[in-house]
Amino acid sequence: MAVFDTPQAAFGALRPVCVQLTRVQTVENVRQLQAHLAGVSGAALQELQEYVLFPLRFALRLPGPKQERLVQSLVQCISSVLAATCVKKQELLQELFSELCTCLAPPPSSGKAAPLSEELKLAVIQALHTLMHSAYGDVILSLYQPSTLPLLGFAVSLLLTLAEQEKAKQIKISALECLQVLVLQCDCREHRHLDEDESQQCGDLFASFLPGISIALSRVIAGDVKQGHKTTVSAIRLFYLIVGLVMADKQLARIPKSKEKLSVEHSRISELMIHRGPDWTKSTAEKLSLLLHKVVESSSIHPHWKVRLELVELVHHLLRNCSQSLVDSFSHLLKALVGLVNDENSEVRSRCNTVLQEISEQRIVAQNRALADVLSENLHSLATALPRLMNSQDDMGKVSTLSLLLGYLKLLGPKINIVLNSMSHLQRLSKALVQVLELDVTDVKIVEARRSGPPGPLQQGVQKGRCQKKYFRFFTEEKVFQLLQQVCRVLGYYGNLYLLVDHFMGLYSESSLYRKQAAMILNELVTGAAGVGVDFLQEREVPLNVDDLKGSITSILDEYMDQVNWYLVTSNDTEESSPEQSVQHLGLAAHAGGTSSSVLLLSPEPPVTTRTINSNIWQICIQLEGVGCFAAVLGKEFRLLLLSALYPVLEKAGDRTLLISETALGTLADICEACAYDSVQCLINENSDYLVNGISLNLRHLAYQARASQVLDTMLRHSDASLLPLVEDVIQDVLSALDQSYNSQASTFLRVLQSVMTALVQWFGMPSAEEHQQRQTDKGHSRALSQGQQEVTMTSQEVERFFLDYVSQKQIAEGDLPDLEEEEADDAPLAEPEPNTDTEGEAPMPSHAQLARDVMERCIHLLSDGSLRVRLKVLDVLELCVTVLHPHGNHLLPMAHRVWPALVTRLINDDPLAVLRAFKVLCTLAQTCGDFLRQRFSKDVLPKLTSSLLSQAPVSARAGPVYSHTLAFKLQLAVLQGLGSLCEKLDMVFSCT
């Protein structure tokens, strides 16, 4: 279609369709007009604007019901004309405005909203939006006169109803954007901006609409999140623009005290106008304060970051323009801003910090008070309500509350000591933190998780900084705990460290209910004081004094490692918990003093509940984490504190409770990194003299023996063979202590002996299959040489030595073992002529083998102990001893001869669990003592095993699937799997009869 550039040509093309539409109002005629409009230029259409709009407006004004499709087509066509032209007449603007609003209005006879389609509503809203933008120059101001107040109120009411009640997101957003244009606060640059006088006039006019608009918008803002973030953002923007216009300090300052009479035709309109005097301002500010509180509460926890960002803009706009009029709302606005300082979104945080800095610099503060005073008051109120809020809010509410608390502390910055120096403020804040951080100690899994025996391969490294996940009573969200950590760290960064440490140490000592929480807070305070992991807005005024930090850490460590706080009951197992219990009671007695101490020692022990044990475990773990934090803070300076801290941490690394031992290992790794040790092994080896001395001293006291054994256990598990010469004397002390108290402490010392032997096996190793085969080959080769299969000249002494060795080996195999002293006496004269003999029996015994023989000596005596637990541990240790003594047959065989009777008893007449362990020991012995065991095994053990298998065979043949889970099945399976290889190692020959 050709383009009509002149009004004459355009008129000729448009006249027929306009006449047709005037005669017959149908959708098809509207579409024809729309199609012809596409070929008309903007300049030509501007000349014919009223002519083209006439049939469209005529069709809209016709009385009677109309089809929605027709109305929608008419409105869309009007919108097209307005988009291409400008409205230059005030009457036309007002008439079009009224006619479009009427399309949304219900019929006069009906009080209910018209059942209009969503498409029609959206078309009318967009047409109103286009009309407001098409007004040329000052024509737009004709709508904002007292005489048009009813018309504006009608439009505002319709648009607010759509924004609040419609379900379609696009309609809600379009209605809010149209309202923003209607109140002359449009964001686009083309829209006319008002000067000061015009803004004053519009402010007077919009004051009549402020209550309705603000209330409706607050409901939209606090609405369901399903409405979408764009709707909420638009509502917040419109809220602060209209409030900022009507309540602007500059405008209110120009308002006369008395209301001027307006020269209007109707007195009713005069009554609708609001006089923004002092009384009205005060009353409106009070009501707006309630609405702002509602807006802040809902928007600050909105899941979408753009809503929270728009809330920052609301605070900034209102504080910049209405700081005097909205004085009562300052705390709400500041609360919103402070709560978003720690927002998870970087844009929100950045904008929030910028606005806060601007507020602080311009000193836009309510009632001319200092910002610190307002923050202090709000902080005091929040700390008072914090426990209640933590009880009543969900996790999202807790995040919002704690973000607010953290924001107040960050804003106070160096002025935080103003709050801390007030005892009431400090007490409220500290009690709030202690109550919020209360742990959930009902999980029985913490108590049940026990560390098994020493692992096979020693741990080569430990993960550093292993903080155990904690479960709290009042929250589950990890973000809540992170905010609490930041609160404590900011307190430590800005606050007086001595004051804070002294106060929370007082809470630590005051009650066991506060002890765990106070310890967590102390750990974070020290971390924050060192500037580690602290998010702050401004640097502190006084730099950190390392001596002050070290003094605070020393006092905390002394309290943590006091016997009453360090050695707590962590198990219901009397065998494991008795040393700690005795130490704890000793500590209580020492604290009580006087004659009452003896009463405490003699009084029956109260029953220990699982909850108490769980609480004790967490307390120890938190204190261990604190030691790691302190090491990280001090760095190499922490080496000076190792003399008091390392030994207790090693004790806990050997604890049977899994949670404690893992936490202690993480602490050791933190200490290594802080003190510049390459590994835990280097840490132990370089401090071994101090540690060995501590172990030796504690082994002399019955109550401390278990703790000393734990330290030695940890040292052995995390070191190498270079440690052995340093701890040999200590291991001998352990053996001596076992000899003296094997009735009561056998299980404790057997654990450390198991660690010793496990370490020896790891360090010196078991011979590989190739080495074992080579040793057997060399042995066979030696026998061949002895029997004269090769032509070798032998001396008389060598022949005599051969026969003496043969007789000795035969006697050992038959059980006729001479006394070692007599054997040494007989051998001494023969050894003199051959000082350089290469016989294995004459070689000096290495220290680790000597140690293994000494341990095996104790195992022989304890193998018949009445406690099944002790017997099982003895069998485990015995197997390790045999492995270490494997290369030293001349020493192993006599020990095997001595252990054989007790081992046979375990194999044929003991608990099935002990039989299973004893069979493992037998298989290990067979690898090294084949000749020695052959006759004894076939005579003492094999008949019993075969008869047991035969008797068990019918039972297992008839058994169901559950049988595979029984101990009898496991024992039967182990014997069947090992018996063949055992007979092969013993070189046994069976004849078929």
Side-chain angles (χ1 to χ4, degrees):
M1 184 180 290
V3 176
F4 304 102
D5 293 330
T6 64
Q8 293 78 11
F11 179 77
L14 294 175
R15 184 176 181 278
V17 292
C18 288
V19 171
Q20 182 63 23
L21 179 60
T22 305
R23 291 175 178 173
V24 183
Q25 295 79 30
T26 63
V27 175
E28 182 61 29
N29 290 337
V30 176
R31 287 177 179 172
Q32 288 184 8
L33 176 59
Q34 183 89 36
H36 282 76
L37 289 174
V40 178
S41 66
L45 186 59
Q46 180 66 49
E47 295 295 328
L48 300 173
Q49 182 191 55
E50 292 189 60
Y51 180 79
V52 173
L53 286 175
F54 175 78
L56 298 172
R57 294 172 60 197
F58 178 77
L60 281 179
R61 287 183 296 185
L62 281 176
K66 305 178 187 66
Q67 292 183 355
E68 283 195 0
R69 291 181 57 200
L70 175 61
V71 176
Q72 181 180 342
S73 299
L74 292 169
V75 169
Q76 288 174 342
C77 192
I78 291 174
S79 183
S80 299
V81 174
L82 294 176
T85 61
C86 295
V87 178
K88 298 182 178 181
K89 293 183 179 181
Q90 297 179 2
E91 296 80 5
L92 179 61
L93 176 65
Q94 294 181 17
E95 289 173 1
L96 283 172
F97 187 83
S98 176
E99 291 163 3
L100 289 174
C101 289
T102 305
C103 295
L104 294 174
S109 59
S110 175
K112 298 181 180 179
L116 304 177
S117 66
E118 292 181 352
E119 291 77 7
L120 176 57
K121 294 174 184 177
L122 189 59
V124 174
I125 294 171
Q126 291 173 348
L128 282 171
H129 194 280
T130 305
L131 175 63
M132 298 297 296
H133 280 87
S134 67
Y136 182 77
D138 294 340
V139 174
I140 188 68
L141 296 178
S142 64
L143 273 179
Y144 300 95
Q145 303 296 326
S147 57
T148 58
L149 193 60
L151 179 59
L152 283 176
F154 178 57
V156 168
S157 177
L158 288 174
L159 292 172
L160 283 176
T161 301
L162 292 175
E164 187 176 358
Q165 297 180 1
E166 281 296 321
K167 294 183 179 179
K169 295 180 181 179
Q170 188 57 46
I171 293 179
K172 296 170 78 74
I173 296 171
S174 297
L176 290 168
E177 290 176 348
C178 188
L179 267 172
Q180 187 175 338
V181 176
L182 190 59
V183 296
L184 299 177
Q185 299 294 320
C186 184
D187 297 329
C188 63
R189 296 180 180 178
E190 295 79 9
H191 201 70
R192 189 182 190 285
H193 294 280
L194 305 177
D195 58 27
E196 190 172 344
D197 292 333
E198 292 169 346
S199 295
Q200 185 83 19
Q201 179 182 348
C202 291
D204 292 333
L205 199 68
F206 295 148
S208 302
F209 308 141
L210 182 61
I213 293 178
S214 58
I215 293 173
L217 291 178
S218 66
R219 287 198 292 261
V220 175
I221 295 169
D224 194 337
V225 293
K226 294 179 181 178
Q227 69 183 355
H229 75 277
K230 290 184 178 179
T231 302
T232 310
V233 168
S234 299
I236 294 174
R237 182 180 297 116
L238 180 58
F239 185 94
Y240 70 73
L241 288 175
I242 186 67
V243 173
L245 176 65
V246 177
M247 302 297 291
D249 294 333
K250 292 182 179 179
Q251 289 193 24
L252 295 176
R254 299 171 61 188
I255 299 295
K257 293 184 179 181
S258 60
K259 182 177 179 180
E260 297 180 1
K261 289 188 177 183
L262 301 175
S263 57
V264 292
E265 297 179 358
H266 303 288
S267 60
R268 183 177 179 83
I269 296 178
S270 178
E271 294 175 358
L272 294 177
M273 292 295 295
I274 297 296
H275 176 66
R276 293 185 289 170
D279 295 338
W280 178 89
T281 302
K282 181 179 179 182
S283 174
T284 304
E286 291 175 356
K287 296 171 184 176
L288 284 174
S289 178
L290 300 176
L291 295 178
L292 282 170
H293 178 68
K294 180 180 179 180
V295 168
V296 167
E297 289 294 323
S298 60
S299 303
S300 60
I301 59 173
H302 197 281
H304 202 282
W305 66 271
K306 287 188 177 180
V307 175
R308 304 193 298 273
L309 181 62
E310 199 63 34
L311 179 61
V312 177
E313 298 300 334
L314 178 145
V315 177
H316 181 235
H317 186 84
L318 295 184
L319 288 180
R320 184 179 57 185
N321 297 292
C322 315
S323 61
Q324 298 299 322
S325 60
L326 296 180
V327 59
D328 296 333
S329 302
F330 180 79
S331 60
H332 301 315
L333 299 176
L334 186 62
K335 177 181 178 181
L337 209 55
V338 171
L340 296 174
V341 170
N342 310 289
D343 195 85
E344 59 186 15
N345 184 269
S346 58
E347 289 190 38
V348 177
R349 287 198 308 271
S350 175
R351 180 59 180 155
C352 199
N353 290 334
T354 303
V355 173
L356 279 171
Q357 190 170 1
E358 180 182 335
I359 292 172
S360 180
E361 290 174 356
Q362 296 181 1
R363 299 197 178 278
I364 305 174
V365 184
Q367 296 180 353
N368 298 319
R369 292 177 295 175
L371 181 62
D373 295 337
V374 179
L375 291 171
S376 300
E377 291 180 10
N378 291 355
L379 180 61
H380 187 266
S381 302
L382 182 60
T384 304
L386 192 59
R388 176 181 55 80
L389 293 174
M390 291 294 107
N391 257 327
S392 59
Q393 291 178 323
D394 59 8
D395 278 1
M396 288 302 298
K398 294 180 176 72
V399 169
S400 176
T401 301
L402 290 172
S403 296
L404 182 62
L405 174 64
L406 180 56
Y408 284 143
L409 295 175
K410 285 183 177 180
L411 276 179
L412 280 169
K415 295 184 176 64
I416 204 169
N417 287 305
I418 298 174
V419 178
L420 299 180
N421 289 333
S422 168
M423 183 55 66
S424 63
H425 283 65
L426 180 57
Q427 284 182 345
R428 287 181 183 274
L429 182 59
S430 61
K431 286 295 180 67
L433 290 174
V434 166
Q435 291 180 42
V436 171
L437 282 168
E438 183 176 350
L439 285 169
D440 180 7
V441 292
T442 58
D443 188 6
V444 73
K445 294 180 181 178
I446 300 297
V447 181
E448 290 177 345
R450 313 296 292 168
R451 183 172 63 83
S452 59
L458 297 183
Q459 300 180 16
Q460 299 299 320
V462 183
Q463 180 184 355
K464 70 180 182 66
R466 186 188 302 175
C467 289
Q468 302 292 346
K469 180 175 176 58
K470 301 172 181 65
Y471 300 91
F472 296 89
R473 181 180 173 187
F474 296 113
F475 60 88
T476 56
E477 183 66 38
E478 183 67 20
K479 177 68 174 175
V480 178
F481 181 56
Q482 292 172 358
L483 285 170
L484 287 167
Q485 283 183 310
Q486 278 297 313
V487 166
C488 297
R489 291 181 183 180
V490 170
L491 282 172
Y493 184 78
Y494 289 118
N496 185 324
L497 186 60
Y498 275 125
L499 173 64
L500 290 169
V501 168
D502 182 68
H503 181 76
F504 282 100
M505 286 298 291
L507 291 177
Y508 179 92
S509 305
E510 181 179 327
S511 171
S512 59
L513 298 176
Y514 300 151
R515 195 158 294 148
K516 296 180 292 297
Q517 303 95 298
M520 278 190 282
I521 294 171
L522 285 167
N523 297 344
E524 299 299 336
L525 285 175
V526 172
T527 304
V532 178
V534 188
D535 183 17
F536 51 83
L537 296 177
Q538 51 185 317
E539 292 282 349
R540 50 189 165 194
E541 295 174 348
V542 180
L544 175 67
N545 188 315
V546 179
D547 292 334
D548 291 345
L549 184 63
K550 192 186 301 182
S552 298
I553 288 175
T554 303
S555 63
I556 297 174
L557 279 179
D558 290 342
E559 191 70 21
Y560 280 0
M561 294 183 177
D562 186 86
Q563 290 189 356
V564 178
N565 302 322
W566 193 254
Y567 302 107
L568 303 172
V569 181
T570 57
S571 172
N572 274 322
D573 190 340
T574 55
E575 183 180 1
E576 295 182 2
S577 62
S578 56
E580 285 83 355
Q581 287 186 21
S582 61
V583 171
Q584 189 178 24
H585 284 290
L586 285 171
L588 289 173
H591 276 71
T595 56
S596 61
S597 60
S598 60
V599 177
L600 282 173
L601 288 170
L602 296 174
S603 61
E605 297 177 1
V608 182
T609 64
T610 301
R611 184 184 182 90
T612 302
I613 292 174
N614 204 342
S615 177
N616 291 343
I617 291 172
W618 274 118
Q619 180 181 331
I620 294 172
C621 289
I622 292 167
Q623 292 170 171
L624 283 166
E625 290 173 0
V627 177
C629 291
F630 303 155
V633 162
L634 290 180
K636 289 187 177 181
E637 292 290 325
F638 193 76
R639 288 195 177 207
L640 301 175
L641 301 176
L642 282 179
L643 290 177
S644 59
L646 182 57
Y647 189 96
V649 174
L650 287 173
E651 285 178 355
K652 297 307 177 185
D655 198 279
R656 301 292 292 170
T657 304
L658 183 63
L659 194 68
I660 294 177
S661 62
E662 286 186 348
T663 306
L665 291 177
T667 301
L668 287 174
D670 289 333
I671 293 174
C672 287
E673 183 181 13
C675 299
Y677 290 104
D678 294 335
S679 63
V680 177
Q681 174 184 322
C682 295
L683 173 67
I684 292 173
N685 288 353
E686 293 190 26
N687 294 277
S688 58
D689 52 348
Y690 141 69
L691 296 172
V692 167
N693 182 61
I695 295 172
S696 299
L697 291 175
N698 285 336
L699 284 174
R700 300 172 189 175
H701 301 280
L702 180 62
Y704 303 151
Q705 286 176 347
R707 291 154 46 186
S709 66
Q710 289 176 354
V711 177
L712 183 58
D713 175 34
T714 306
M715 292 175 65
L716 292 167
R717 284 192 292 123
H718 297 281
S719 192
D720 58 8
S722 62
L723 182 68
L724 184 59
L726 302 173
V727 298
E728 273 187 299
D729 293 340
V730 173
I731 297 174
Q732 292 298 331
D733 291 342
V734 172
L735 295 175
S736 300
L738 175 61
D739 294 339
Q740 296 172 6
S741 56
Y742 64 90
N743 288 329
S744 59
Q745 298 292 318
S747 181
T748 299
F749 289 120
L750 282 171
R751 275 202 303 269
V752 72
L753 291 180
Q754 186 177 6
S755 299
V756 171
M757 299 316 301
T758 302
L760 294 182
V761 170
Q762 181 68 24
W763 295 342
F764 301 100
M766 186 175 181
S768 63
E770 293 78 6
E771 293 175 349
H772 181 67
Q773 185 176 2
Q774 182 64 34
R775 187 177 290 112
Q776 295 298 328
T777 303
D778 293 343
K779 184 176 180 182
H781 185 60
S782 177
R783 287 179 178 175
L785 289 174
S786 303
Q787 294 173 5
Q789 294 178 1
Q790 297 186 15
E791 296 181 2
V792 178
T793 304
M794 300 179 66
T795 63
S796 59
Q797 291 85 359
E798 289 174 342
V799 173
E800 184 178 5
R801 169 60 65 184
F802 166 73
F803 282 108
L804 287 174
D805 287 343
Y806 174 77
V807 172
S808 175
Q809 293 293 332
K810 185 176 181 180
Q811 288 177 344
I812 291 174
E814 294 175 353
D816 183 12
L817 189 66
D819 292 338
L820 291 177
E821 292 131 1
E822 295 178 3
E823 186 177 340
E824 290 173 2
D826 293 340
D827 290 347
L830 295 175
E832 290 177 3
E834 295 291 332
N836 297 324
T837 180
D838 294 330
T839 306
E840 186 181 3
E842 297 295 332
M845 194 174 188
S847 59
H848 68 274
Q850 178 66 45
L851 190 59
R853 191 175 71 173
D854 293 341
V855 174
M856 194 170 179
E857 183 82 30
R858 272 68 176 185
C859 291
I860 294 171
H861 296 295
L862 292 172
L863 201 53
S864 302
D865 192 271
S867 170
L868 175 62
R869 176 183 293 182
V870 172
R871 296 199 302 275
L872 293 175
K873 289 182 180 179
V874 169
L875 288 168
D876 288 337
V877 177
L878 185 61
E879 182 182 5
L880 295 170
C881 292
V882 172
T883 304
V884 175
L885 287 174
H886 183 280
H888 310 282
N890 281 357
H891 299 281
L892 178 59
L893 289 176
M895 299 303 295
H897 169 73
R898 295 180 57 193
V899 81
W900 180 254
L903 183 63
V904 170
T905 305
R906 304 283 76 76
L907 282 166
I908 63 177
N909 187 23
D910 206 335
D911 186 274
L913 199 56
V915 174
L916 188 60
R917 298 277 183 93
F919 189 76
K920 286 183 61 181
V921 177
L922 178 63
C923 293
T924 304
L925 272 172
Q927 296 179 3
T928 55
C929 310
D931 295 339
F932 167 75
L933 288 181
R934 188 183 306 113
Q935 182 178 355
R936 294 165 182 258
F937 173 73
S938 59
K939 177 182 177 182
D940 299 336
V941 179
L942 186 58
K944 297 290 184 180
L945 291 178
T946 52
S947 63
S948 174
L949 291 174
L950 289 172
S951 64
Q952 197 69 20
V955 178
S956 60
R958 296 190 302 270
V962 181
Y963 179 68
S964 61
H965 298 284
T966 63
L967 188 58
F969 168 83
K970 295 177 182 178
L971 177 59
Q972 185 182 9
L973 180 64
V975 172
L976 288 173
Q977 288 177 338
L979 193 57
S981 60
L982 181 62
C983 293
E984 184 181 2
K985 292 173 184 176
L986 295 179
D987 198 17
M988 298 183 67
V989 179
F990 297 94
S991 60
C992 298
T993 56

